[in-house]
Amino acid sequence: MVQALGFDTPPRLRHFIDGLEPLLDAGEQRIVERGSALLRELLAHDDWLPQSAALPDPRHYRQYLLYRDPAARFSVLSFVWGPGQSTPIHDHTVWGLVGLLRGAEVSQDYVRGADGTLAPDGPPLRLEAGAVAAVSPALGDIHQVFNAYDDRISIGIHVYGADIGAVDRSIFSADGGRKPFRSGYANIG
Ligand code: FE2
């Protein structure tokens, strides 16, 4: 599986994976707490991301699979923002750790009202390089994310509690309309 990505798992990423694996049965709270610390360690050095997983697309943000657990218990990906790019409002359905390797991103959480519409939940959160945030159905799972910069690339390293590219998820319009969504990966056919 790793060979199909076109690069070997970088040693710093392997160290992160080796630290995460023993936590996977410990429950979401422990995974998020300890996994966030491990991810911050990984983000402390910007010398390991393969160049082929750091390339922006002129039109859309891109997600590259970096590692997929053989049993699909988790996946690690690079999230590459071109200048000014953003996601639609979306959910994840599983726990996720969102870390910044380069640049910065801004995330706006949403909450669903009794009438089904979505409203912003709190102020936008800005993540700078080295910072980690968590998402999950328990923590808050609906948000929209932007590259904080309109003149440069930003890159996140994301970890999810599933093979996230294959998970059935949703994108939303502000009136609460929902469309099925599977994110896939830019480097996997
Ligand atoms: Fe997200």
Side-chain angles (χ1 to χ4, degrees):
M1 195 65 75
V2 172
Q3 291 84 341
L5 301 180
F7 47 82
D8 294 328
T9 303
R12 290 193 197 282
L13 179 57
R14 168 49 66 185
H15 180 75
F16 171 80
I17 292 161
D18 289 345
L20 186 68
E21 280 173 341
L23 303 173
L24 292 172
D25 294 327
E28 180 181 304
Q29 191 177 347
R30 179 81 178 133
I31 293 170
V32 166
E33 184 183 295
R34 183 66 192 130
S36 294
L38 291 167
L39 185 53
R40 281 192 289 271
E41 282 177 31
L42 178 62
L43 298 170
H45 302 274
D46 183 8
D47 60 1
W48 57 270
L49 183 65
Q51 181 59 27
S52 62
L55 301 173
D57 178 276
R59 290 157 301 157
H60 305 290
Y61 66 88
R62 275 189 167 177
Q63 297 173 87
Y64 297 92
L65 183 65
L66 301 178
Y67 180 81
R68 176 163 46 196
D69 174 62
R73 296 174 301 168
F74 69 96
S75 54
V76 184
L77 43 145
S78 57
F79 199 107
V80 181
W81 298 102
Q85 291 177 350
S86 62
T87 68
I89 303 172
H90 64 275
D91 66 6
H92 311 86
T93 78
V94 295
W95 62 261
L97 304 174
V98 176
L100 258 288
L101 183 68
R102 293 176 202 164
E105 70 178 33
V106 175
S107 173
Q108 174 65 59
D109 287 341
Y110 283 84
V111 63
R112 197 178 255 287
D115 63 356
T117 61
L118 294 174
D121 184 19
L125 173 69
R126 183 179 170 114
L127 280 186
E128 302 288 346
V132 173
V135 294
S136 81
L139 296 170
D141 200 38
I142 301 177
H143 69 170
Q144 184 173 25
V145 191
F146 308 80
N147 186 349
Y149 296 100
D150 59 14
D151 60 354
R152 57 188 270 202
I153 292 163
S154 293
I155 300 182
I157 303 297
H158 295 190
V159 187
Y160 296 96
D163 177 10
I164 193 69
V167 171
D168 288 319
R169 302 155 65 189
S170 298
I171 57 176
F172 301 91
S173 53
D175 66 7
R178 180 194 290 256
K179 274 197 233 167
F181 166 62
R182 271 194 192 191
S183 56
Y185 302 106
N187 56 338
I188 302 278

